[in-house]
Amino acid sequence: NESGKININRAGGPLLKIMLNPFDLEDREKEIIVDSIMDWRDKDDFHRTHGAESDYYLSLPKPYRAKNGNFESPEELLLIKGVTPEIFYQGLKDLVTVFPPQEDASAKGYAEPGKREFDFSFNAININAASYDAIRALPKMTNDLAKAIIEYRSQQDFKALTDLISILGPDVYAAIVPYITFDILPFYTIQSKGTVEGTRTKHTVQALVKIDKNLRDGYQVIS
């Protein structure tokens, strides 16, 4: 579920900074990327303290303008000041999402599929849907604790945030609780891998799908 990723169109500064924790970056480098993402999204041409707007991008060898609008794909992060191909392809692209789109009227979270709707928290990630790397990026998180969360989830979902205390302890729990949720979204990434038996031949198909009972088939393939 895409709720286990960070929405780069809606996340605030603290969550955007958390997504950079897995990478070997100085605090100033993180601030440049976070401020530049927020400058890219906003409608004006005034850059934040460490950010960048069109004046910076137009000075590059291959000039372009700041978008002043939402990201349409994670790959757009490669245009952002401070984001290198190494950072992006070595993990960042798998931590982020652009779904649901800002204009999507059905962009709400669900406690359970088909149950009560409520506004989704875009400054949090779904602890039941987050990848190991996304969990590991949370404040004070360790490899062992992230593995313990994944192991617990292999048997059952977390039903209450307080269920995490017995695994994480009170200090780590207090550090991550502002950034986690159980809300899910109607958007799912589905990946299918096939292998020809007795050979090394493999093929992978991946799709982003929206599940919505109001659609004709109950779902829509986004990409």
Side-chain angles (χ1 to χ4, degrees):
N1 190 269
E2 291 293 286
S3 63
K5 301 176 183 178
I6 293 169
N7 187 308
I8 52 174
N9 284 327
R10 304 191 183 191
L15 192 58
L16 290 174
K17 194 169 184 178
I18 282 172
M19 80 178 183
L20 299 173
N21 283 343
F23 309 100
D24 186 19
L25 297 172
E26 301 290 338
D27 283 344
R28 179 175 172 78
E29 293 175 301
K30 293 180 182 179
E31 290 166 354
I32 287 172
I33 293 174
V34 170
D35 281 1
S36 297
I37 287 173
M38 298 177 79
D39 282 337
W40 188 266
R41 300 183 319 200
D42 66 28
K43 304 297 183 183
D44 61 54
D45 292 317
F46 301 100
H47 66 76
R48 290 166 172 77
T49 303
H50 302 287
E53 287 282 1
S54 291
D55 56 348
Y56 168 79
Y57 298 114
L58 289 172
S59 71
L60 298 177
K62 294 182 178 180
Y64 52 92
R65 292 185 177 277
K67 189 169 188 179
N68 291 342
N70 284 339
F71 291 83
E72 295 179 39
S73 72
E75 284 73 19
E76 208 171 313
L77 282 170
L78 289 164
L79 299 173
I80 298 299
K81 181 181 180 182
V83 178
T84 65
E86 290 75 20
I87 294 171
F88 184 78
Y89 289 112
Q90 292 178 13
L92 182 57
K93 74 180 182 71
D94 297 319
L95 295 176
V96 301
T97 184
V98 295
F99 290 92
Q102 192 87 24
E103 66 277 8
D104 191 332
S106 64
K108 295 187 176 183
Y110 297 84
E112 296 177 26
K115 296 294 181 66
R116 180 177 61 89
E117 296 184 2
F118 51 90
D119 290 336
F120 182 78
S121 172
F122 293 100
N123 277 305
I125 60 173
N126 183 347
I127 196 67
N128 285 325
S131 67
Y132 169 85
D133 290 334
I135 296 169
R136 183 67 182 83
L138 292 167
K140 295 190 176 183
M141 188 61 62
T142 66
N143 292 336
D144 289 343
L145 291 176
K147 289 176 183 176
I149 289 174
I150 298 294
E151 176 63 25
Y152 183 98
R153 283 188 346 199
S154 69
Q155 305 299 320
Q156 60 181 321
D157 281 350
F158 290 99
K159 301 298 184 184
L161 290 177
T162 50
D163 291 342
L164 285 158
I165 296 178
S166 61
I167 295 174
L168 304 177
D171 291 343
V172 177
Y173 172 78
I176 74 165
V177 74
Y179 306 108
I180 58 176
T181 181
F182 293 144
D183 303 0
I184 65 171
L185 290 166
F187 296 89
Y188 292 80
T189 294
I190 302 171
Q191 189 178 85
S192 179
K193 296 182 180 181
T195 304
V196 178
E197 188 174 2
T199 76
R200 295 184 178 181
T201 303
K202 298 179 181 179
H203 189 63
T204 301
V205 177
Q206 181 169 299
L208 185 89
V209 178
K210 181 180 182 181
I211 307 295
D212 187 339
K213 63 183 179 181
N214 295 316
L215 296 170
R216 186 185 64 181
D217 297 321
Y219 71 94
Q220 175 188 359
V221 177
I222 306 296
S223 63

